[in-house]
Structure formats: C-alpha cells, structure tokens
Amino acid sequence: MNQNVNTPLLEVSDLSVSFRMYDGALEQRDLQVISSLSLTVYPGEILAIAGSSGSGKSLLASAILGILPGNATTGGSLRYNGEALTPERQKQLRGTEIALVPQSVAYLDPLMQVGKQVDGHRKPRPTEKRRGLFRRFGLPEKTEKLYPFQLSGGMARRALVSTALLTDARLIIADEPTPGMSLDQALEALKLFREMADEGRAVVLITHDIDLAFAFADRVAVFYAGTTVETAPAQDFRQGPEALRHPYSKALWNALPQNGFTPIAGFQPYAGNLPQGCLFAPRCPYATEECHTTVPPMRQVRGGEVRCYHGA
C-alpha cells in the first residue's frame, strides 16, 4: 500500500459543526454535533473512518463538500491541497476535484436512465469505461437502460460507486459505499478504491464494514460522539486491541462479531447532552477526575494519534 507522508491533500483541524434549533418554546439554541475533530488525508492512501452511528462520519463528508443545511454553523479549519476550503472553493471543486459516493441511493435521478446519469456531462462520454466498471461490479449489460426504480438496492449502490470512480477527482469521499452488496461485490468496490489510491489519489472511506476496511486501508480514524479519538495505521487494527491506543478503539475491535461481539456498558452520548471533559469518560474503565473535567488533547503515541490521557 502506498502512503505519501509529505503533503496532506486534505487537512481538517479542530472542526466543529452546530445546528441552530428551536425548542418547544420556540427559543433558539445551538446543538453542537461535531467538536475538536481533526484528521489529515494524504495522496496515495485510503483513510477509513470508523465509529458508531451518530459519531459524525457523514456530517464530516458534508462539511468537506460544503453541503450542510442552511442552519449549520462550522468552526475550525478545512484545507484542500494547502488552501482554505471556502464556500466558493468547495463549489468549484465539488464533483471535479472532490467526488462523493453518497450514502443514500436517493441521489440517483429517478427520471434518467442509469447509464446516462453515471456518464454525466463529460465530453467525450466515458461510456466504454463505465461499461467496464459495470462489468466488474457484475451489473448486467441492460442496466444502463434501466431507471433507478428498476434496480435493486445493491445494483443502485454499485451504480453510485461507478459514478465517483469515473471522475478524475483527486479526493474521493465514499460514504458507506458497500451496504446492499454481496461480499464479492463489496470486495470489488474496495479493490477499485485501492487502485485509485495506488494511482496517487486519496480516498476517505466511511464505513461500518470496518473488518473489510482494515484489509484495504492505510490508516483508520476512529470517531466517537462527534470527535476523533484515535488515528492509527490499519495494521494496528488487524493486529488487535493490544496495538491500539484508545479504550474506545479497543472496545470497537472487541465488539466485532469475529472478535467475540463483546459490548461495553452505556451508550454514546446524545449531541444535546454531552458530558464535560472526555466524551468517552462515562463509559471508560480508566477514567479519572481529570478525564471528567477537561478535554484531553490529541497526542502522538506509537506512530498514531490518540485523544486520551491514559492512551499508551
């Protein structure tokens, strides 16, 4: 696997995302759903993002692309290729330099044949390349003439992935690209993302299929309650919990079916009721008074990063 450790293509620093909400008395309040979230993505690598539902994975993708709803407020810094990702630049890069594989198949236009919308507005049309991708994904030749409502969920997912793979984007954000696919189809999709990274592009792979992601990714970032708690080489996750740094990363590994499906007590906190200090402290067996009162900084530990006073 190829990893360029020189210049990041994407830098996310201390990102926060809040939504302006109204309570029952029609009073406004800001609901913070992402806080102190940081990561980097380099050309030539796949960065997998793991974490439970509600941890901020898909919101990060929307923030990078500049497609958050109008009631959202962001803080921190987003940089692409060394320059700030302003709203104007996000609009310019979206769909060209930065491509998204969206989580929902509802992104497909219900009134357009699948082949034509996957080809897009490119000149000349990449029809033969797209047909080659369809064949690799096991999509029948007739698929290009069908409309989205005529596709199964897995077929629609494969068509969406093909849309991003056809682009010349330098950064591909794949938000849950494999649900609905068979194992062989999911592996083929991840092989294609790996090929793109090996060509020098960068891939952000947001997934719940983390055991598959471990096999193809270079690094893994673990999210919890809207922040990054650990970023480490994928090899550490393949090796096991003793190689990991954060208690939640270890718990996530142990919760995989092949690793015993062992749960931990408690729940991820709701965005409107976040604890003071470390967000994982209420569930952590190692938490001290310091953990409950102050937010731990991100630290460099054993070739990775961890947001934990006790991570080692």
Side-chain angles (χ1 to χ4, degrees), residues 274-309:
L274 296 177
Q276 186 180 1
C278 174
L279 298 178
F280 187 64
R283 306 175 70 187
C284 181
Y286 310 107
T288 60
E289 183 178 353
E290 183 181 30
C291 301
H292 287 286
T293 56
T294 61
V295 177
M298 190 70 84
R299 299 186 295 119
Q300 299 283 336
V301 176
R302 292 189 289 107
E305 297 177 304
V306 62
R307 187 183 302 280
C308 180
Y309 290 120

Side-chain angles (χ1 to χ4, degrees), residues 37-50:
L37 194 155
S38 299
L39 56 80
T40 54
V41 190
Y42 295 90
E45 77 164 347
I46 296 177
L47 175 71
I49 297 179

